[in-house]
Amino acid sequence: MKKLSILMVVVFLLTMSYSCSEEFLTKEPPGSLSENQLYSADGIEALMIGTYAMVGGSSLWEISWGASIQNWTYGSIASDDAYKGSELTDQSPANDIEHWVVQSTNNYPADKWQWALGMGVDRANKTLRIIDLVESEGGITSDDANAYRAETRFLRALFYFEARLVFGDYLPILDENVEDPTQVTNVNAEGAVLDFIIADLTFAGSNLPASQSQVGRATKWAAKALAARAYLQDLRYSDAEPLLDEIIASGEFTLAADFMDNFNIATNNNEESIFEIQANVNDINESLNAEMGIGLNWPHGGDIGMCCGFHQPSQNLFNAYKVDENGLPMFDTFNDTDLANDQGIASEAEFNPTDHALDPRVDHTISRRGIPYKDWGINRGNNWIRYQADGGPYLPVAKPFFKKSERFSLSTTTGWQTGINANNYRYLRYTHVILWKAECAAASGDIDEARTYVNMIRQRAMDSEQVMGKVLINKLPGGSDGVYPWGFNTTDADYKTGGDVDWTKPAANYQIGLYTSFADANEAMEAVQWEQRLELATEGFRFFDLRRWDNLPNQIGGKSMAEVLNGFARADERIRTSEASMVGYTFSEADKYMPIPQAQLDQQVGVLEQRPEYK
């Protein structure tokens, strides 16, 4: 299928006068779009693509990291999944998110607010107004108008959903009929923001097609899946489950055959994809058609070095992949003893990876010393880490990263964020639907159905290709960082064929089993929660999941969100003299949402209100 074409810089320039200005210039600059040119089907299409361009946030450039739709800050480093990584002195606002000490002047939440409301929602609303005008003047049929509205309202709902994840219900509700957005309060009746999101998604689900000729455009299934996730934030299982059932019954989607099919460039837009954010590189300068919001999150040291070493998995997450003799998660004891790591150990010194039984998804998610890392070489530990003392021993999260053989063809050749690549972000996929269905079943007490759906995900992990290649050396030969990808005197050509690696054996002791029964609904829910962590780790879900599960009767395996995160903080294994360590920081109820940005409060005095916990 043809990919949705989003030439972001061009669209941004062409729609600048429309999207960012309150008036039109008397004399239009060369190459700009006049207002009258927008009053047609082609104009609507251009505006809608401009709204799609905001989804990836790439054309924002300066504000892209705090605005990233992958939520590596608010959903991952704010949780027990990952550390900010890199060095303490680089991007200090992200340190505050990791340590739960965010102030209203922090520019990262300000970026998210500007992206979601000031740009995304604003573009959607202006597009909807043009749709109304063109329809009223007979330029398009009512059916075409509703098709355009459905797609645009899906996008508006997505922006509001993302804003609600971060700021909760303290959001101004802005539709296309609001004349002056600066005068709309963010204090709403209970449930009003969710109702607004659901209204948009209900309309979208009723008017969008089941498939699109261009991949990357919203469908009815994307609308229903996003509505289900929106309901799940408030644990409204009875509202979410029928939507999930409808998606499953449609037969439109299946689980991809291999776990990594959801993270490899070669398998973008596969049979599991419900809504993917498309990425292209080297088509425009700086590769702005890829997602810049994770541009800091690539390996930084040695021969693999790019920029900038952020978003490093935590020891707690690594421990979570331990399994028992049946290949099942160790709910209560996983964090009693840390699995072996090379924190503070030089690459030239000896280190032996753990031989503990592990879920095989671990080394697709976490890149650790002594294990082959895609086709880049044996992970060398310290020499591949920007600054171990602050960031920990694990490379930036592995899922979005590309292969060495894809470098410069499917990764950017321009700009300074050279890890930017053509890997799509699977925003909504069938994995989510199956896991959310399992959660709904557990919540209703149907433990057999919950087990069936959890086991579907585990069976796929069992059938997926493991990381292969048992490394036969335990230190970097000769101390050189760029000469030995697979051991002494080897080259890239030795990948899967030679070097100091036994390619016939798995890289570690991988085991995974299926659940045969659950004792009760609490155990079923705990299994669902664990499966979501293991399957979706480092994808920006964890903090938001902990927050909503905190409202369940048994919370998170009998622990509150605060108990989970504070236990993680107390056990932080990074060098204790590092100020990046979580030791000494405490999570509380007041840290569940980000503050309303101070700049917004200052611009709309007496209109917007700060969340009560930040007053």
Side-chain angles (χ1 to χ4, degrees), residues 302-512:
D303 59 302
I304 199 174
M306 298 177 196
C307 179
C308 295
F310 286 72
H311 197 197
Q312 295 178 235
S314 70
Q315 182 66 36
N316 181 285
L317 178 62
F318 184 34
N319 292 343
Y321 284 96
K322 292 178 185 175
V323 296
D324 63 17
E325 63 276 9
N326 298 311
L328 298 174
M330 300 170 65
F331 294 163
D332 301 319
T333 59
F334 80 101
N335 213 35
D336 287 355
T337 304
D338 283 339
L339 293 169
N341 66 70
D342 67 317
Q343 183 80 7
I345 300 175
S347 296
E348 295 80 9
E350 292 186 359
F351 171 77
N352 294 304
T354 182
D355 60 0
H356 197 291
L358 302 172
D359 185 303
R361 289 169 287 190
V362 63
D363 289 320
H364 294 299
T365 305
I366 299 172
S367 178
R368 57 194 175 101
R369 179 168 170 183
I371 303 295
Y373 185 46
K374 301 183 187 291
D375 59 349
W376 286 91
I378 301 167
N379 184 315
R380 295 157 209 192
N382 201 309
N383 286 0
W384 270 7
I385 301 293
R386 179 170 178 177
Y387 187 57
Q388 241 192 22
D390 286 349
Y394 307 113
L395 255 64
V397 298
K399 287 177 178 176
F401 200 44
F402 54 92
K403 298 175 182 177
K404 189 174 185 179
S405 56
E406 296 169 332
R407 194 173 191 180
F408 303 131
S409 59
L410 294 172
S411 70
T412 187
T413 58
T414 59
W416 57 274
Q417 295 182 101
T418 55
I420 300 297
N421 62 79
N423 210 349
N424 291 352
Y425 178 53
R426 282 73 161 178
Y427 187 79
L428 293 165
R429 64 181 192 268
Y430 198 53
T431 296
H432 302 148
V433 171
I434 296 301
L435 288 170
W436 296 335
K437 172 62 178 177
E439 185 176 337
C440 289
S444 68
D446 192 339
I447 61 177
D448 287 337
E449 185 170 57
R451 181 170 57 84
T452 295
Y453 282 103
V454 166
N455 278 343
M456 285 176 64
I457 301 299
R458 296 185 67 78
Q459 183 67 57
R460 194 261 299 275
M462 188 184 300
D463 296 339
S464 295
E465 182 179 355
Q466 300 175 350
V467 174
M468 295 298 291
K470 183 69 174 177
V471 175
L472 305 177
I473 54 177
N474 63 4
K475 62 181 179 180
L476 186 68
S480 173
D481 198 27
V483 181
Y484 304 100
W486 303 110
F488 181 76
N489 200 29
T490 59
T491 68
D492 290 338
D494 289 294
Y495 175 54
K496 291 190 174 182
T497 62
D500 293 309
V501 182
D502 184 346
W503 295 104
T504 68
K505 294 180 180 178
N509 180 14
Y510 302 126
Q511 297 180 34
I512 187 169

Side-chain angles (χ1 to χ4, degrees), residues 515-536:
Y515 292 101
T516 57
S517 64
F518 294 135
D520 53 29
N522 283 338
E523 186 178 57
M525 182 61 77
E526 189 170 14
V528 169
Q529 291 168 344
W530 267 86
E531 205 60 30
Q532 291 195 37
R533 186 182 194 189
L534 298 175
E535 180 78 9
L536 309 179

Side-chain angles (χ1 to χ4, degrees), residues 73-272:
T73 49
Y74 317 107
S76 192
I77 70 171
S79 77
D80 49 359
D81 260 12
Y83 309 130
K84 187 211 79 176
S86 183
E87 298 180 49
L88 185 68
T89 55
D90 196 350
Q91 293 297 314
S92 58
N95 294 327
D96 293 344
I97 294 172
E98 179 183 12
H99 294 150
W100 314 308
V101 291
V102 179
Q103 302 297 312
S104 63
T105 52
N106 188 299
N107 67 285
Y108 270 55
D111 293 349
K112 193 73 167 184
W113 183 285
Q114 183 181 351
W115 166 77
L117 301 180
M119 303 184 85
V121 169
D122 181 66
R123 283 196 177 194
N125 283 336
K126 288 173 177 174
T127 302
L128 288 167
R129 285 199 286 272
I130 294 294
I131 293 170
D132 290 347
L133 182 59
V134 175
E135 181 190 19
S136 70
E137 294 182 350
I140 54 175
T141 66
S142 59
D143 287 344
D144 287 342
N146 277 338
Y148 286 130
R149 286 190 188 99
E151 210 163 345
T152 307
R153 288 182 70 175
F154 169 84
L155 294 171
R156 182 170 69 184
L158 184 151
F159 290 121
Y160 262 109
F161 174 78
E162 284 289 316
R164 188 172 187 250
L165 281 178
V166 176
F167 302 105
D169 286 329
Y170 278 76
L171 302 171
I173 297 176
L174 307 170
D175 67 16
E176 67 272 26
N177 299 310
V178 171
E179 294 184 3
D180 187 358
T182 66
Q183 297 305 306
V184 178
T185 183
N186 65 333
V187 179
N188 306 293
E190 184 176 355
V193 177
L194 178 59
D195 289 345
F196 185 70
I197 293 169
I198 293 299
D200 271 354
L201 293 173
T202 300
F203 181 87
S206 298
N207 290 277
L208 283 170
S211 62
Q212 295 269 20
S213 59
Q214 291 178 311
V215 293
R217 300 191 86 132
T219 66
K220 65 183 292 184
W221 306 118
K224 291 175 186 293
L226 184 55
R229 189 181 177 198
Y231 279 130
L232 287 174
Q233 300 313 301
D234 288 21
L235 303 182
R236 289 175 56 173
Y237 293 114
S238 61
D239 291 311
E241 190 166 20
L243 296 168
L244 300 170
D245 287 340
E246 192 175 349
I247 297 169
I248 293 168
S250 73
E252 294 279 341
F253 309 98
T254 59
L255 291 176
D258 193 278
F259 172 73
M260 282 302 293
D261 285 348
N262 289 305
F263 311 105
N264 284 329
I265 298 173
T267 48
N268 281 346
N269 302 307
N270 61 29
E271 65 271 30
E272 186 166 331

Side-chain angles (χ1 to χ4, degrees), residues 74 78 97 102 109 166-167 591-596 610-611 614:
Y74 317 107
I97 294 172
V102 179
V166 176
F167 302 105
D591 301 313
K592 286 187 171 181
Y593 292 95
M594 292 289 117
I596 307 305
Q610 184 56 272
R611 290 190 60 88
Y614 289 96

